[in-house]
Amino acid sequence: MKIQSSLLGQQKRSRMTMHFLTGLLFFFTSVILQAGVSGLDKSGHLQAIERPNDNGFFCAALENGVQLHVNGIVKNVIFYGPSTVRVNENLGRNYWQHPSIVVVSKPAAVPFKVQETAEYVAILSEKLQIRADKKTGALMFMDAGGRLLTRERAENHATIKQVDISGAPTYEVSHTFALKPDEGWYGLGYIDSAPTQINRRGQELLLIQTNMGIVIPMIVSSERYGIMWDIYSIMRFKDDAAGATLWAESAPGGVDYYFFAGNTMDEVIAGYRTLTGSAPMYPKQALGLFMSKERYPTQDRIVEVAKTFRKEQFPLDYIVQDWQYWGSDKDGTWSGMIWNPDRYPDPEGMIKTIHDLNMKLMISIWPSVGNDTPLAHELDQYNLRFEPLHWISRKARIYDAFSEKGREIYFKHINAGLLSKGVDALWMDGTEVEVGTACWNPNEVARDIKRLGNNAMGDFSRYLNPYTLMT
């Protein structure tokens, strides 16, 4: 009996050893270490790595995260900080030609571990636990203690369709999160056509930059995390029983978002600021009272108004010179960073008088540039104005703010014509960008911007919303 019992014990230990070795072998053949591989191309976008075979789920550990292959989808999960990750998935190829115009930070050397079970792969840092479902690739985000923050919808969390727009390949995408019933989602900018409630739960929004609509594709959750989609095209958001879904017309990198968590809302916003760059504080002067009207028509009039404010002891900090100081709204001088010599014969003297009143001057400028200005002539030497005419002037055209050379020329003339004369601040008007209308109707805005064609970085379908960011 003792011999039989001993033999049975040896067999049991042998089987346990075999199970352990099999599991260990499975781990190292399924999660392949890719030392020195970033999973990103030179522009910082997803680059698919080669996999040993095309069968089933595959996970490779990268320098700063992992790359997953599942059901024809390639998905990066890359750390940009201990509690910040970038999630990017597409069909194995990205169609961006340039780096992000929003994110300034780079992947971070965050210590992490990769663990695997039969159902999921877990990516663990000091601050986050992320689980990737091996059947679908859907992610679950948890804090260090295992508390669920949020998750991508378990089934069909993303749809990614390769399409051609304006002769260039891109993706049409949608992406869905499964939210907690009592969770609040706040953000996406100010959408004037949206319901007045700031909680976006249960809402449906069209995300197009307009005169009264500011698109910021970022959400802050009451569960103390944030999500920012790095996508610039027309987008639609809808939250209903199926989940919270963001659809985008043109996303050259596929689904591409940043997840950042924190113990407080301040920490969540800190993650966003680290990604996009610190926002400088406004100077004290900008916190006071501004006076603006539909323009002061002459140098004498704006000085008269400024002096009257001081005479009446009204605490005014800024007075604003609105449009047509350059000429009229129908000639070719529109926003040429010049002054009409008849109505503003001495801009430097005018501004000195305003400054002597302990007051500052803000002035409006536009991205539409009159055809008969030195600014337009220099831009045209490099083909840096778009063909469609501005809807008011009919003698002005939009400059290409996506061109580094275009911005250099534009701001050279701003400095020479305005800032060097003493102007203190710029009011950048019409940057939606305003072309064929006053930019109230989002569908008309999208139509007009697309008619501009291609800018220096690509077609306007993929860069519909961020003109304001570039100029």
Side-chain angles (χ1 to χ4, degrees):
M1 291 295 292
K2 289 182 179 180
I3 295 175
Q4 185 177 10
S5 176
S6 176
L7 288 173
L8 288 172
Q10 290 176 6
Q11 291 172 350
K12 184 177 181 180
R13 287 192 296 274
S14 178
R15 285 195 300 270
M16 290 173 64
T17 302
M18 284 298 295
H19 285 314
F20 172 77
L21 291 174
T22 301
L24 190 64
L25 179 62
F26 179 73
F27 176 84
F28 281 110
T29 55
S30 183
V31 181
I32 306 296
L33 299 178
Q34 298 283 331
V37 175
S38 69
L40 302 171
D41 65 14
K42 63 181 181 180
S43 294
H45 301 297
L46 185 150
Q47 184 172 52
I49 64 173
E50 291 187 16
R51 56 180 298 173
N53 58 67
D54 295 328
N55 299 322
F57 176 85
F58 170 73
C59 176
L62 307 173
E63 284 180 335
N64 304 114
V66 301
Q67 186 172 107
L68 312 173
H69 293 233
V70 56
N71 300 328
I73 300 295
V74 180
K75 187 168 189 171
N76 276 352
V77 182
I78 295 178
F79 283 96
Y80 277 64
S83 57
T84 300
V85 293
R86 178 187 182 185
V87 179
N88 185 192
E89 60 183 311
N90 57 40
L91 301 183
R93 183 177 178 182
N94 89 78
Y95 298 106
W96 285 117
Q97 301 298 317
H98 301 275
S100 170
I101 61 175
V102 172
V103 176
V104 298
S105 64
K106 304 295 182 184
V110 174
F112 70 96
K113 298 184 295 184
V114 180
Q115 297 177 354
E116 184 173 12
T117 72
E119 291 80 28
Y120 62 81
V121 166
I123 306 105
L124 311 173
S125 74
E126 181 184 359
K127 299 289 185 67
L128 285 180
Q129 299 183 34
I130 305 167
R131 291 183 182 178
D133 187 287
K134 294 171 68 173
K135 291 183 179 179
T136 66
L139 301 182
M140 177 189 301
F141 297 90
M142 296 170 286
D143 65 17
R147 182 181 74 89
L148 176 66
L149 298 171
T150 193
R151 64 191 306 163
E152 296 178 323
R153 190 171 63 189
E155 298 294 333
N156 302 317
H157 69 278
T159 59
I160 305 172
K161 179 183 178 183
Q162 197 271 312
V163 295
D164 283 357
I165 298 178
S166 300
T170 186
Y171 294 109
E172 177 186 344
V173 303
S174 67
H175 179 235
T176 304
F177 282 93
L179 306 184
K180 298 177 182 179
D182 58 350
E183 181 176 354
W185 257 29
Y186 305 91
L188 299 177
Y190 172 75
I191 311 300
D192 62 317
S193 59
T196 56
Q197 297 91 340
I198 61 173
N199 187 350
R200 299 305 189 187
R201 295 303 304 273
Q203 295 189 18
E204 185 171 359
L205 307 174
L206 175 61
L207 303 180
I208 296 175
Q209 189 87 3
T210 66
N211 186 281
M212 294 291 289
I214 303 167
V215 175
I216 305 174
M218 173 192 165
I219 283 288
V220 175
S221 167
S222 59
E223 292 295 304
R224 300 194 300 278
Y225 68 85
I227 294 168
M228 185 191 76
W229 291 270
D230 198 7
I231 298 172
Y232 318 129
S233 73
I234 294 175
M235 290 172 281
R236 292 183 184 273
F237 170 81
K238 184 177 183 180
D239 177 58
D240 57 16
T245 300
L246 186 82
W247 169 88
E249 178 185 50
S250 179
V255 173
D256 194 355
Y257 68 94
Y258 292 80
F259 175 93
F260 31 93
N263 294 321
T264 65
M265 285 297 190
D266 280 347
E267 290 185 9
V268 174
I269 296 301
Y272 170 72
R273 291 184 63 190
T274 299
L275 282 172
T276 60
S278 295
M281 288 292 292
Y282 287 120
K284 186 178 180 180
Q285 62 188 252
L287 304 179
L289 182 65
F290 284 63
M291 176 61 193
S292 179
K293 63 177 293 182
E294 198 278 286
R295 86 182 187 280
Y296 302 107
T298 66
Q299 171 179 317
D300 290 342
R301 179 57 177 161
I302 193 171
V303 169
E304 177 189 4
V305 171
K307 288 181 175 179
T308 301
F309 270 95
R310 286 294 177 256
K311 178 182 177 182
E312 300 296 332
Q313 297 185 328
F314 206 90
L316 186 66
D317 292 272
Y318 263 91
I319 193 163
V320 180
Q321 175 63 60
D322 202 350
W323 66 327
Q324 295 191 49
Y325 57 89
W326 53 74
S328 84
D329 61 341
K330 300 300 181 186
D331 63 21
T333 62
W334 187 287
S335 200
M337 315 308 165
I338 56 178
W339 302 84
N340 180 275
D342 296 325
R343 293 184 288 112
Y344 297 85
D346 182 14
E348 290 174 294
M350 176 192 75
I351 296 170
K352 183 179 184 304
T353 301
I354 291 172
H355 286 168
D356 288 345
L357 294 169
N358 196 27
M359 195 180 297
K360 295 187 180 296
L361 176 70
M362 171 180 276
I363 198 164
S364 71
I365 63 172
W366 301 62
S368 46
V369 179
N371 295 342
D372 300 327
T373 63
L375 172 54
H377 297 160
E378 187 169 357
L379 288 167
D380 289 349
Q381 290 177 24
Y382 300 91
N383 195 29
L384 291 173
R385 290 195 304 154
F386 302 107
E387 286 300 322
L389 294 170
H390 188 262
W391 69 288
I392 299 177
S393 169
R394 311 306 299 173
K395 293 183 180 179
R397 295 190 282 130
I398 308 298
Y399 96 99
D400 190 351
F402 291 87
S403 161
E404 184 176 355
K405 185 65 175 179
R407 296 191 298 272
E408 175 190 321
I409 294 170
Y410 188 71
F411 281 92
K412 180 181 78 172
H413 285 261
I414 289 173
N415 185 59
L418 305 178
L419 300 180
S420 68
K421 308 293 185 189
V423 169
D424 300 290
L426 303 172
W427 165 17
M428 307 183 80
D429 207 346
T431 60
E432 293 80 14
V433 58
E434 181 182 294
V435 185
T437 70
C439 288
W440 302 107
N441 184 301
N443 292 309
E444 291 179 356
V445 172
R447 175 203 66 197
D448 290 343
I449 292 177
K450 288 180 180 180
R451 285 177 180 174
L452 294 176
N454 285 355
N455 59 59
M457 295 180 68
D459 69 88
F460 268 103
S461 293
R462 64 178 62 185
Y463 288 110
L464 189 93
N465 284 317
Y467 188 96
T468 298
L469 186 64
M470 302 303 293
T471 191

